[in-house]
């Protein structure tokens, strides 16, 4: 059985949790450490941190929407360094705060007007009818083009017809 240093274990375990959140299968492939060993390290880490092994780490840190909004308001005037310090004290990530801020900004945005379903159906029928008509016209155009090409080939092979040479119905005396 291979022995790993505590520093190596801590480094790999840290990559399993936020902000990295690297999956165990990927870590196993990258490091060559068996998956079962990595799962055991994760369980051991969670127990040492006071988390239950079955409890997933939530992306919001378990905050309610009101608490998230309060964090966004408190962080609105902070620069990056102050934001990082604040996030460390609250146990959240700056990326989460940015995401929450975007969600707050979008909360009061004007929603796109809903189009009536009947209007959508009518437009769909019109589109289908126009596409069918376009298909018919394309076929007719292709047929006409083919007939013109054939007519030119016949003229090239056989020459002009006799009645065209005589002047179309003129009687010769």
């Amino acid at each position: 059985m291979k022995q790993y240093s505590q520093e190596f274990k801590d480094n790999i375990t840290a990559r399993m949790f936020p902000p990295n959140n690297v999956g165990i299968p990927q870590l196993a492939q990258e490091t060559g450490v068996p998956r079962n060993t990595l799962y055991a390290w994760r369980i051991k880490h969670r127990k040492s941190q006071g988390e239950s092994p079955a409890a997933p780490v939530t992306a919001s840190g378990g905050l309610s929407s009101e608490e998230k909004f309060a964090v966004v308001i408190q962080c609105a005037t902070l620069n990056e360094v102050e934001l990082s310090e604040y996030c460390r004290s609250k146990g959240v990530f700056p990326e989460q705060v940015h995401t929450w801020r975007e969600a707050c900004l979008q909360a009061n945005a004007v929603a796109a007007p809903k189009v009536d379903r009947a209007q959508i159906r009518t437009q769909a029928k019109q589109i289908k009818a126009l596409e069918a008509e376009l298909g018919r016209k394309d076929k007719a155009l292709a047929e006409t083009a083919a007939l013109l090409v054939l007519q030119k080939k016949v003229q090239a092979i056989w020459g002009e017809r006799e009645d065209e040479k005589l002047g179309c119905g003129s009687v010769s005396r």
Side-chain angles (χ1 to χ4, degrees):
M1 183 177 233
K2 188 172 181 180
Q3 295 290 327
Y4 299 98
S5 70
Q6 188 61 39
E7 183 181 344
F8 179 76
K9 288 180 186 179
D10 292 342
N11 184 17
I12 299 300
T13 305
R15 291 181 61 196
M16 292 180 199
F17 295 99
N20 299 321
N21 286 336
V22 179
I24 288 182
Q26 183 180 349
L27 282 173
Q29 187 177 18
E30 288 177 9
T31 61
V33 177
R35 287 182 185 187
N36 291 341
T37 304
L38 293 174
Y39 282 116
W41 291 354
R42 184 174 70 179
I43 291 170
K44 193 177 201 180
H45 177 77
R46 284 183 175 168
K47 284 183 181 177
S48 71
Q49 298 297 318
E51 299 178 17
S52 66
V57 177
T58 60
S60 65
L63 299 176
S64 68
S65 63
E66 292 86 10
E67 293 169 329
K68 291 177 189 177
F69 182 65
V71 169
V72 169
I73 291 174
Q74 291 172 354
C75 295
T77 59
L78 301 179
N79 63 28
E80 288 298 317
V81 174
E82 293 170 335
L83 177 63
S84 296
E85 289 176 17
Y86 179 83
C87 289
R88 278 192 296 276
S89 70
K90 292 293 185 180
V92 296
F93 296 99
E95 295 81 18
Q96 290 174 315
V97 175
H98 293 300
T99 304
W100 298 341
R101 181 175 182 190
E102 289 301 317
C104 290
L105 292 173
Q106 296 299 321
N108 291 325
V110 177
K114 294 183 180 180
V115 180
D116 187 33
R117 289 181 187 233
Q119 185 181 4
I120 292 173
R121 276 191 226 113
T122 305
Q123 289 175 347
K125 286 179 183 178
Q126 287 176 341
I127 290 170
K128 192 173 181 177
L130 290 172
E131 286 175 346
E133 183 180 353
L134 182 62
R136 284 192 304 274
K137 289 182 178 181
D138 281 345
K139 288 178 185 177
L141 181 62
E143 182 180 350
T144 304
L147 288 173
L148 285 173
V149 169
L150 287 174
Q151 186 179 14
K152 286 183 180 183
K153 286 185 179 183
V154 166
Q155 285 178 355
I157 294 172
W158 296 96
E160 288 187 41
R161 296 190 328 211
E162 287 295 320
D163 57 344
E164 289 177 358
K165 285 181 183 178
L166 295 176
C168 270
S170 63
V171 181
S172 59
R173 297 194 179 168

